[in-house]
Structures are given as structure tokens and as C-alpha cells.
Amino acid sequence: LRRNVKAPIYTVELHNESIIRGFTAGTKSGGNAEAVRGQHGNMLVFDEADYLSSGDMDAALSIITNYPNATVWMSSTPSGKRERFYQTCGSKIFKEYHYTSKVNPMWNEELQALFKEQLTDIGYDHEILANFGEQEQGVFQNTYVQAAKHRYEYGDLAYKNTWTYTVGVDWNDIGNGTTISVLGFNPAENLFYVVDRYVVSREGWTQLSACHKIAELNRIWRPIVIYIDAGFGGTQYEVLRKYGFDSLIDPAKGPTHPDSRLRDIVKKYDFGSKVDVHDLFTKRLISKPAKPFLVESTVRRFESNDIRFPQSDEKLEAQLQGYIIDRITPTGVPVYKAGDESAGDHALDALMLSVLGFTLEVTPLGKPKYDTGIAFSGRFGEGTDALIHEGDTVIHQGDKKERNKTDREKQKPTGGRDSVVNKNQNLLGNPGGLPASNTHQGRQSVSLWAWPGFGHDAPKPRVRTLKEAGEDASSRLGLRPRLSAKPSRKKI
């Protein structure tokens, strides 16, 4: 075994003149296995292949280009990522061998109990059972990502005036361009569809061309809001709003033209700041970290299974599956990043911004709904009474003597010989006190109570007097109370 000091190459020379060379990919450095370039061989072996990036494996595969009969071996503990190793296991070109740790002859029940206790459920699924499962640090679970894939293409779903559309724009430098995502909500199905995604690529890319593309998509989809990334989009935000104001004063367009809406619907979102949202119960404003709120709003849509994207969009799928939590800050705020640098996260950021637009502009988190009902409190010093609901039973109030007698019966002390229950007497009293006595006896079918509102959220009718019922009806109709006597003129 020899090691080359100038380069990280480990060489083993056998007696039959065969040579084994080992290389480190340097995945964390982002070099895409540059040390492997220029090598050649008849066999290529990847160790821990699921932890290598796509760029590392692309560079290493070039080793066997001049050897048609070369063999490729990949072995790894699954990490949960759906990248090159996962795709290779499902390929028809390769043969897959799946072995769990339990095939080890040294495996016993003590090791089983140890790993069950020390590892998490996801870690046990990866390390012991050798299943891909879910990523330990993944944000979007693969189960929900696969459920969101649908059979349609961008351009198949035309504009419908009954849908609600939002647009998300992820501005980037010249190396990545600008990604624009259009999200449509179908109220008939209560589902979200990614109806369009456009990338202003590096070739021929300028900031103004991306702004023109946003204006074009605004004319097509008529979105209620356009959210853009404030990181690289500070200048573009002003350009788009100015474009809307210029259209407003243009005699050929005017205020009804779609371009004029840009002055109002374009909004920027700073990932590193905080966002104010309304509490769903108190309606008070509360501040939340902007990036976690952005991510979790999209995660909830996938977990609720109410969002769809084309199954042919493999780039968006790879970014969803490769999005991970890098670390947690001392204040408890998660920091996200793209697990696969080659896939990136720009299409995902644009999608999350479009979901955010719907969350802040339509749902009660961003636009709370207040009760517009009006009630009159009555005169000063006037007592209030409970409302009489529809279906209440009204009884005629008896004379004063009868009421006093009823009150005395209620206050009569209990006890004595009369209060002793006969041993032969039913403890439940008459048949009317038996369970389910409210049902119609003697019939085969059991029906509910007959009072209105039993089957839905409405209060049970209560007994009210005729006077109380009349006062309640007068207050509902806005009638003034009836005068008991002829009004007298005040002497001055």
C-alpha cells in the first residue's frame, strides 16, 4: 500500500500486476471529485454511494469510458435521499442486492435491543433495515412528495376565472438566473396546482428580461399577488412597480389594463427578517421568522395532500426531496439548505413564495375576517336576559300564589321516611327515565330529538315565558317597547 503525497491517491499493487487506486471525492468541498479526473480502469467501485453528490458520480463514471466491458459496483447505507444511488437501485441496467444488518452472523437479540433503544425510528430504518425511508434531516417527506405528483404538463391547465392564482419569483445571480412559479387554486377540488414554471436562464439573461417575463405572466394568469425574493430583487421590485404606474398613466392602457395592477400586487419578501401574521383566535399581530414561516406554510400544504405538480418536473421533485435542515440556531430557528448542491433550491423557493402569497393574501393568517354583525345594547341600567331561540317552548306564567307555592316546594328539605327508596322500586324511576327514552319506542327505527337544531351546531330550546318571548321578538324586530300608560307632559 502506497500513498501519493501530492494527491490523495491510495494505491495497492498485487503480484499479478493489478493495481487498485483509491480516491476521496471531497463532497463537502464542492469539487465534484476533481481528483478522479484523468484516471482509467476496468472496474469502478463506489463506497457509501448515497452520500456522494451527483457531480462526484458523474466525474467518477468518466473513468470507464474507454472500457466497454467495465463493471460498476455501488454500496451504501441508505440516507433517505432520492438521488443517484436510489435511482440506480431501481434501474433495469443494474442488479440490486438488499441485505439488512440482521444477516450478520454476529447479530443477536442484545444488539437488536441496543440499536432499538439508541437509534431513532428513521435511523433504525436506515442503518439496520437498509431501507431508504425518509431523510433524518429532510423537510419534505418523500411520501407526500410522491403523492403530490400528477399526470399533467405545464401548459395543459389554461387560465380559468374561477381559480385563484399567485406568482412566486426567486431572483438569483447571473449563474442561476430567475425562476418564476405560478400556483393556481381550484375551489371545486380544493386543490393547488403548479400550473406554470419558467426560468430566465443565464444565456441571454438580463434583469429587465426577467421583469418583462413577469409582466407577461401577469397578463396571462391575472394573479392576486406576486411575491419576489428581496435578496436579489430589491431593484427589480422598483422596476416592476414603476412599470405598473407607467401603465396607469398610459392613455393606451389605463387603470383597467393588467399591467397597471403591478403597482399593487408586487410585494417583496425578505427571508432573513420577520413577518407579521394574525393569531387565528385573538386576531392580534405576532412576529415570526420569515424563512421558517415560508417553509412550514408549504410543508403543511404537502402534508395536507392538497397540492399537485407535474410528475415530469424531476428538478422540482429533486429539490423537494433534497431540502434539509442544516442546523438549529441557539434561539431555536432552523436554517435550511439544499442537500444536493447540483440540484439547488431555486425552483422550490419560487414555489414556496407562490404558496406564501396565498397564505398571506387569502387565509385568516394574513387577512383576518371580522364579524360584521351589529347588536344594540339597550338603555342604561336595563338588565339583559338570555335570547329566546327558535323552537323554544313558551309557557303562561301563573298567578303569584301559585308561584310562591312552587318556590316553597323547591326549598322543601329532603330526608325522612318518605325519602327512603323502596327496595322493590326501580332506581331509574319511571320508564321515561331509562336510557334512550327520548327515542320512539315500539318502532324498529330510532329517530333523533324533534327540536330544530339537534343535528347541527345550535343550542337546545329552553323554556321561556310569554312575556320573555314577546320582549325577545320585539328586540329582534327593532320594535320599541309598548308604553304601559298614556304619556304625560312634563310641566316646566
Side-chain angles (χ1 to χ4, degrees):
L1 175 63
R2 295 184 304 172
R3 180 178 184 274
N4 190 340
V5 181
K6 296 182 180 180
I9 302 174
Y10 298 84
T11 304
V12 177
E13 297 182 3
L14 304 179
H15 294 291
N16 60 357
E17 297 184 356
S18 298
I19 299 176
I20 302 174
R21 291 191 176 95
F23 299 87
T24 57
T27 301
K28 293 184 179 180
S29 64
N32 292 333
E34 57 185 8
V36 185
R37 298 183 181 276
Q39 303 295 325
H40 60 277
N42 301 88
M43 177 183 289
L44 180 61
V45 180
F46 292 95
D47 185 33
E48 297 296 352
D50 207 15
Y51 295 87
L52 298 176
S53 67
S54 299
D56 296 336
M57 303 189 76
D58 290 340
L61 284 171
S62 62
I63 293 177
I64 61 173
T65 53
N66 295 328
Y67 297 89
N69 298 325
T71 57
V72 178
W73 287 80
M74 299 182 186
S75 64
S76 180
T77 300
S79 66
K81 297 186 294 185
R82 266 58 176 179
E83 296 181 2
R84 186 63 61 84
F85 182 67
Y86 174 82
Q87 298 169 1
T88 304
C89 290
S91 175
K92 297 181 180 180
I93 301 177
F94 289 84
K95 183 175 180 60
E96 179 189 10
Y97 299 92
H98 178 236
Y99 297 102
T100 67
S101 296
K102 297 180 180 180
V103 301
N104 188 342
M106 305 299 293
W107 186 264
N108 52 36
E109 295 182 357
E110 288 77 8
L111 287 175
Q112 170 86 6
L114 173 65
F115 287 113
K116 270 287 188 182
E117 180 180 348
Q118 296 297 323
L119 296 177
T120 63
D121 293 339
I122 297 178
Y124 185 85
D125 201 28
H126 292 168
E127 299 292 339
I128 307 303
L129 301 181
N131 293 326
F132 283 95
E134 302 292 343
Q135 289 194 73
E136 189 80 32
Q137 300 173 328
V139 176
F140 297 90
Q141 298 186 39
N142 178 68
T143 303
Y144 300 119
V145 173
Q146 298 302 321
K149 296 167 60 177
H150 205 61
R151 292 185 177 180
Y152 72 96
E153 301 292 337
Y154 292 129
D156 291 348
L157 303 177
Y159 170 79
K160 297 180 181 179
N161 55 6
T162 57
W163 286 30
T164 302
Y165 296 93
T166 57
V167 175
V169 182
D170 181 46
W171 298 97
N172 296 286
D173 54 12
I174 194 172
N176 297 299
T178 300
T179 304
I180 307 171
S181 178
V182 182
L183 185 71
F185 175 70
N186 182 9
E189 299 177 310
N190 200 28
L191 291 176
F192 294 87
Y193 288 88
V194 185
V195 296
D196 198 4
R197 185 169 69 83
Y198 193 86
V199 179
V200 182
S201 60
R202 178 178 180 178
E203 183 179 357
W205 181 84
T206 62
Q207 297 284 359
L208 291 179
S209 61
C211 292
H212 286 302
K213 188 61 183 180
I214 295 174
E216 177 185 346
L217 293 175
N218 171 61
R219 301 187 199 104
I220 297 174
W221 299 107
R222 308 292 178 90
I224 61 172
V225 70
I226 300 175
Y227 267 88
I228 66 175
D229 176 19
F232 284 92
T235 304
Q236 292 77 11
Y237 170 74
E238 302 296 338
V239 171
L240 287 171
R241 294 200 66 210
K242 184 179 182 303
Y243 191 79
F245 280 106
D246 292 342
S247 176
L248 179 65
I249 62 177
D250 188 356
K253 295 182 178 180
T256 60
H257 196 274
D259 291 346
S260 302
R261 300 174 62 248
L262 291 174
R263 72 189 191 279
D264 298 322
I265 65 174
V266 176
K267 299 182 180 181
K268 56 183 177 180
Y269 191 79
D270 188 359
F271 291 175
S273 64
K274 290 190 175 183
V275 58
D276 292 333
V277 297
H278 292 82
D279 186 88
L280 294 178
F281 299 98
T282 64
K283 305 297 190 297
R284 297 179 61 183
L285 283 174
I286 54 177
S287 295
K288 291 181 175 292
K291 187 62 178 287
F293 180 78
L294 171 77
V295 175
E296 291 302 321
S297 298
T298 309
V299 171
R300 296 289 85 79
R301 295 299 179 191
F302 277 89
E303 291 181 349
S304 301
N305 194 26
D306 57 4
I307 191 170
R308 300 288 184 268
F309 69 93
Q311 63 179 6
S312 59
D313 194 349
E314 298 179 354
K315 187 173 184 179
L316 179 58
E317 179 184 359
Q319 293 183 12
L320 286 166
Q321 294 171 343
Y323 206 61
I324 64 174
I325 299 177
D326 184 27
R327 57 186 174 86
I328 304 294
T329 63
T331 57
V333 179
V335 178
Y336 306 93
K337 75 170 187 178
D340 186 3
E341 295 296 338
S342 61
D345 59 355
H346 307 300
L348 177 58
D349 285 344
L351 172 61
M352 291 191 295
L353 284 169
S354 61
V355 174
L356 177 77
F358 188 89
T359 302
L360 294 182
E361 300 297 327
V362 178
T363 66
L365 286 173
K367 302 291 184 182
K369 297 180 179 179
Y370 299 96
D371 190 3
T372 57
I374 300 176
F376 297 94
S377 61
R379 296 184 294 270
F380 285 104
E382 182 182 7
T384 58
D385 194 6
L387 294 177
I388 300 178
H389 299 277
E390 183 181 357
D392 288 359
T393 302
V394 180
I395 62 174
H396 292 276
Q397 193 173 13
D399 57 359
K400 185 176 181 179
K401 181 178 179 180
E402 188 67 23
R403 292 199 307 270
N404 293 338
K405 181 180 178 181
T406 305
D407 294 339
R408 287 195 300 270
E409 290 294 334
K410 292 181 180 178
Q411 298 176 2
K412 184 178 180 181
T414 59
R417 186 175 59 183
D418 296 337
S419 63
V420 179
V421 180
N422 190 348
K423 294 182 180 180
N424 297 327
Q425 183 179 357
N426 189 347
L427 295 177
L428 294 177
N430 53 25
L434 294 175
S437 60
N438 59 295
T439 59
H440 296 281
Q441 301 180 3
R443 299 181 182 179
Q444 296 182 356
S445 61
V446 179
S447 60
L448 299 175
W449 285 84
W451 55 271
F454 181 82
H456 57 275
D457 189 12
K460 184 178 179 180
R462 291 170 289 180
V463 176
R464 291 292 183 268
T465 65
L466 182 61
K467 180 181 178 181
E468 292 171 337
E471 292 177 352
D472 180 60
S474 298
S475 64
R476 287 199 303 266
L477 297 176
L479 301 177
R480 297 180 60 185
R482 179 179 298 177
L483 299 177
S484 58
K486 182 178 180 181
S488 61
R489 181 167 182 156
K490 187 174 182 181
K491 296 181 180 181
I492 302 176

